[in-house]
Amino acid sequence: MKRCVVFASGSGSNFEALVQASCNHSLNAEVVGLICDQAQAFCLERAERLGIPSRLFLKADYTDKADMESAMRQACEQWQADVIVLAGYMRIIGPTLLAAYPKRILNIHPSLLPKYKGKDALGQALAMGDSVLGVSVHLVDEGLDTGPIILQESFTIDPKTPRSDIEIQLHALEHSLYPRAINTYLKENL
Ligand code: GRF
Protein backbone atom coordinates (compact mmCIF):
# COMPACT_ATOMS: atom_id res chain seq x y z
CA MET A 1 0.00 0.00 0.00
CA LYS A 2 1.43 3.39 -1.02
CA ARG A 3 1.75 6.00 1.68
CA CYS A 4 0.61 9.58 1.28
CA VAL A 5 1.12 12.67 3.38
CA VAL A 6 -1.49 15.41 3.07
CA PHE A 7 -0.57 19.11 3.26
CA ALA A 8 -3.37 21.48 4.30
CA SER A 9 -3.75 25.04 5.60
CA GLY A 10 -7.43 25.27 6.42
CA SER A 11 -10.59 23.31 7.02
CA GLY A 12 -9.29 20.00 5.74
CA SER A 13 -12.52 18.56 4.37
CA ASN A 14 -10.53 17.03 1.50
CA PHE A 15 -8.04 15.61 3.98
CA GLU A 16 -10.87 13.97 5.92
CA ALA A 17 -12.45 12.66 2.70
CA LEU A 18 -9.13 11.07 1.76
CA VAL A 19 -8.77 9.42 5.17
CA GLN A 20 -12.30 8.04 4.87
CA ALA A 21 -11.66 6.87 1.31
CA SER A 22 -8.57 5.07 2.52
CA CYS A 23 -10.53 3.42 5.34
CA ASN A 24 -13.27 2.22 2.99
CA HIS A 25 -10.75 1.13 0.34
CA SER A 26 -11.91 3.50 -2.36
CA LEU A 27 -8.45 5.10 -2.11
CA ASN A 28 -5.63 2.67 -2.82
CA ALA A 29 -3.26 4.38 -0.43
CA GLU A 30 -2.84 5.03 3.25
CA VAL A 31 -2.91 8.56 4.68
CA VAL A 32 0.05 8.43 7.07
CA GLY A 33 0.31 12.05 8.17
CA LEU A 34 -0.86 15.64 7.91
CA ILE A 35 1.40 18.64 7.50
CA CYS A 36 -0.13 22.02 8.30
CA ASP A 37 1.26 25.56 8.24
CA GLN A 38 -1.48 27.36 10.21
CA ALA A 39 -1.80 26.96 14.00
CA GLN A 40 -5.56 27.58 14.06
CA ALA A 41 -6.42 25.38 11.08
CA PHE A 42 -9.37 23.03 11.62
CA CYS A 43 -7.59 20.27 9.69
CA LEU A 44 -5.44 19.75 12.83
CA GLU A 45 -8.55 18.96 14.88
CA ARG A 46 -9.76 16.60 12.19
CA ALA A 47 -6.40 14.79 12.24
CA GLU A 48 -6.60 14.33 15.99
CA ARG A 49 -10.16 12.99 15.79
CA LEU A 50 -9.23 10.66 12.92
CA GLY A 51 -6.09 9.41 14.68
CA ILE A 52 -3.76 10.63 11.94
CA PRO A 53 -0.43 12.06 13.13
CA SER A 54 0.03 15.73 12.31
CA ARG A 55 2.90 18.19 12.30
CA LEU A 56 2.64 21.98 12.40
CA PHE A 57 5.27 24.08 10.62
CA LEU A 58 5.13 27.82 11.24
CA LYS A 59 6.88 30.17 8.83
CA ALA A 60 8.15 32.31 11.72
CA ASP A 61 10.20 29.39 13.06
CA TYR A 62 12.36 29.10 9.93
CA THR A 63 14.93 31.36 8.28
CA ASP A 64 13.48 30.90 4.79
CA LYS A 65 11.30 28.72 2.58
CA ALA A 66 14.10 26.23 1.90
CA ASP A 67 14.69 25.79 5.62
CA MET A 68 10.99 25.23 6.29
CA GLU A 69 10.65 22.81 3.38
CA SER A 70 13.72 20.85 4.56
CA ALA A 71 12.00 20.30 7.89
CA MET A 72 8.80 19.25 6.09
CA ARG A 73 10.79 16.89 3.88
CA GLN A 74 12.26 15.25 6.99
CA ALA A 75 8.77 14.69 8.37
CA CYS A 76 7.66 13.16 5.06
CA GLU A 77 10.71 10.92 5.08
CA GLN A 78 10.03 9.82 8.65
CA TRP A 79 6.51 8.88 7.57
CA GLN A 80 8.03 7.11 4.53
CA ALA A 81 5.77 8.98 2.16
CA ASP A 82 5.53 7.81 -1.45
CA VAL A 83 3.46 10.78 -2.48
CA ILE A 84 2.52 14.24 -1.18
CA VAL A 85 -1.09 15.32 -1.61
CA LEU A 86 -1.90 19.03 -1.34
CA ALA A 87 -5.42 19.69 -0.10
CA GLY A 88 -6.00 23.39 0.43
CA TYR A 89 -2.33 24.05 1.19
CA MET A 90 -1.89 27.77 0.61
CA ARG A 91 1.82 27.99 -0.21
CA ILE A 92 3.67 27.47 -3.44
CA ILE A 93 5.85 24.38 -3.26
CA GLY A 94 9.50 25.35 -3.65
CA PRO A 95 12.55 23.66 -5.15
CA THR A 96 13.44 21.78 -1.93
CA LEU A 97 10.26 19.70 -1.85
CA LEU A 98 9.99 19.48 -5.65
CA ALA A 99 13.47 17.98 -5.81
CA ALA A 100 12.80 15.57 -2.94
CA TYR A 101 9.48 14.38 -4.44
CA PRO A 102 9.82 14.83 -8.22
CA LYS A 103 6.48 14.21 -9.99
CA ARG A 104 5.21 12.93 -6.66
CA ILE A 105 3.26 15.94 -5.46
CA LEU A 106 -0.42 16.29 -6.39
CA ASN A 107 -2.81 19.20 -5.96
CA ILE A 108 -6.55 19.72 -6.22
CA HIS A 109 -7.79 22.99 -7.67
CA PRO A 110 -11.40 24.19 -7.87
CA SER A 111 -11.51 25.08 -11.57
CA LEU A 112 -11.27 23.52 -14.98
CA LEU A 113 -7.57 24.21 -15.42
CA PRO A 114 -5.95 25.85 -17.31
CA LYS A 115 -8.76 28.30 -16.55
CA TYR A 116 -8.66 30.31 -13.31
CA LYS A 117 -5.33 29.53 -11.67
CA GLY A 118 -4.48 30.90 -8.23
CA LYS A 119 -6.71 32.18 -5.46
CA ASP A 120 -10.52 32.09 -5.40
CA ALA A 121 -10.83 30.15 -8.63
CA LEU A 122 -14.57 29.72 -8.03
CA GLY A 123 -14.98 33.49 -7.61
CA GLN A 124 -13.06 34.01 -10.84
CA ALA A 125 -15.32 31.58 -12.72
CA LEU A 126 -18.50 33.12 -11.30
CA ALA A 127 -17.29 36.64 -12.14
CA MET A 128 -16.92 35.51 -15.76
CA GLY A 129 -20.51 34.23 -15.70
CA ASP A 130 -19.48 30.59 -16.29
CA SER A 131 -22.24 28.03 -15.90
CA VAL A 132 -19.91 25.06 -16.35
CA LEU A 133 -17.61 24.75 -13.35
CA GLY A 134 -15.25 22.02 -12.30
CA VAL A 135 -12.37 20.61 -10.35
CA SER A 136 -8.91 19.53 -11.49
CA VAL A 137 -6.29 17.29 -9.92
CA HIS A 138 -2.83 17.89 -11.29
CA LEU A 139 0.83 17.18 -10.68
CA VAL A 140 2.66 20.02 -9.01
CA ASP A 141 5.51 21.71 -10.82
CA GLU A 142 7.31 25.00 -10.14
CA GLY A 143 4.39 27.10 -11.44
CA LEU A 144 1.09 28.06 -9.84
CA ASP A 145 -1.53 25.42 -10.76
CA THR A 146 0.35 24.65 -13.98
CA GLY A 147 1.42 20.96 -13.77
CA PRO A 148 0.03 18.16 -15.97
CA ILE A 149 -3.63 17.36 -15.30
CA ILE A 150 -4.38 13.89 -13.95
CA LEU A 151 -8.18 14.10 -13.85
CA GLN A 152 -10.79 16.81 -14.07
CA GLU A 153 -14.56 16.83 -13.91
CA SER A 154 -17.20 19.48 -14.57
CA PHE A 155 -20.70 20.25 -13.39
CA THR A 156 -23.31 22.70 -14.61
CA ILE A 157 -24.98 25.31 -12.46
CA ASP A 158 -28.04 27.46 -12.84
CA PRO A 159 -26.82 31.09 -12.90
CA LYS A 160 -29.21 31.91 -10.05
CA THR A 161 -27.72 29.33 -7.67
CA PRO A 162 -26.28 30.98 -4.52
CA ARG A 163 -22.53 30.70 -4.12
CA SER A 164 -22.91 28.78 -0.85
CA ASP A 165 -24.87 26.03 -2.67
CA ILE A 166 -22.28 25.93 -5.45
CA GLU A 167 -19.53 25.52 -2.86
CA ILE A 168 -21.34 22.50 -1.41
CA GLN A 169 -21.54 20.93 -4.88
CA LEU A 170 -17.92 21.77 -5.59
CA HIS A 171 -16.67 20.22 -2.36
CA ALA A 172 -18.74 17.07 -2.89
CA LEU A 173 -17.15 16.69 -6.32
CA GLU A 174 -13.68 17.29 -4.85
CA HIS A 175 -14.21 14.64 -2.20
CA SER A 176 -15.08 12.01 -4.78
CA LEU A 177 -12.62 13.13 -7.48
CA TYR A 178 -9.45 13.32 -5.37
CA PRO A 179 -9.33 9.64 -4.34
CA ARG A 180 -10.10 8.58 -7.92
CA ALA A 181 -7.39 10.87 -9.29
CA ILE A 182 -4.84 9.57 -6.78
CA ASN A 183 -5.72 5.99 -7.75
CA THR A 184 -5.24 6.86 -11.44
CA TYR A 185 -1.92 8.51 -10.67
CA LEU A 186 -0.66 5.59 -8.54
CA LYS A 187 -1.64 3.03 -11.17
CA GLU A 188 0.15 4.90 -13.94
CA ASN A 189 3.19 6.10 -12.04
CA LEU A 190 4.12 4.15 -8.93
C1 GRF B 1 -10.54 23.13 -1.92
O1 GRF B 1 -11.55 23.83 -2.61
C2 GRF B 1 -9.39 22.84 -2.86
O2 GRF B 1 -9.77 22.67 -4.19
C3 GRF B 1 -8.55 24.08 -2.74
O3 GRF B 1 -8.66 24.45 -1.39
C4 GRF B 1 -9.89 23.99 -0.86
C5 GRF B 1 -9.61 23.22 0.40
O4 GRF B 1 -10.79 22.86 1.09
N1 GRF B 1 -7.19 23.83 -3.16
P1 GRF B 1 -10.70 21.93 2.38
O5 GRF B 1 -9.75 22.60 3.36
O6 GRF B 1 -10.20 20.59 1.95
O7 GRF B 1 -12.09 21.88 2.91
Side-chain angles (χ1 to χ4, degrees):
M1 189 69 94
K2 297 297 178 190
R3 299 165 66 83
C4 61
V5 169
V6 177
F7 281 38
S9 304
S11 161
S13 73
N14 278 281
F15 160 66
E16 179 155 357
L18 289 171
V19 173
Q20 279 166 356
S22 174
C23 290
N24 70 28
H25 308 291
S26 55
L27 172 65
N28 302 324
E30 190 183 348
V31 178
V32 294
L34 172 76
I35 282 183
C36 177
D37 64 334
Q38 299 294 331
Q40 306 303 324
F42 186 59
C43 59
L44 291 166
E45 289 177 38
R46 293 189 198 254
E48 194 170 349
R49 170 164 49 78
L50 294 163
I52 304 291
S54 66
R55 293 276 309 272
L56 177 63
F57 294 87
L58 298 175
K59 187 169 179 269
D61 294 337
Y62 299 92
T63 51
D64 56 20
K65 190 182 188 85
D67 188 28
M68 181 161 158
E69 286 199 345
S70 295
M72 290 171 157
R73 187 193 64 212
Q74 277 178 30
C76 290
E77 285 170 359
Q78 278 163 10
W79 283 325
Q80 298 177 288
D82 297 299
V83 55
I84 291 175
V85 172
L86 309 183
Y89 180 67
M90 299 307 284
R91 288 178 194 280
I92 294 176
I93 299 293
T96 308
L97 280 168
L98 282 172
Y101 290 90
K103 295 192 172 65
R104 289 190 179 216
I105 307 178
L106 278 61
N107 182 41
I108 188 163
H109 185 75
S111 81
L112 292 170
L113 290 172
K115 283 173 107 177
Y116 312 130
K117 298 178 176 120
K119 281 191 182 156
D120 193 20
L122 174 59
Q124 295 181 51
L126 295 177
M128 293 303 290
D130 289 8
S131 57
V132 178
L133 306 175
V135 174
S136 307
V137 175
H138 65 96
L139 272 182
V140 173
D141 63 12
E142 58 288 336
L144 177 63
D145 304 320
T146 50
I149 291 164
I150 296 165
L151 214 58
Q152 62 184 183
E153 234 166 74
S154 63
F155 62 100
T156 305
I157 52 150
D158 184 303
K160 293 187 289 278
T161 312
R163 179 174 169 140
S164 53
D165 289 359
I166 298 170
E167 282 174 357
I168 292 169
Q169 254 181 288
L170 187 81
H171 271 106
L173 175 57
E174 288 187 337
H175 299 166
S176 92
L177 186 72
Y178 217 175
R180 286 185 278 130
I182 295 169
N183 289 343
T184 301
Y185 164 82
L186 291 174
K187 202 169 160 193
E188 290 173 1
N189 296 275
L190 292 186

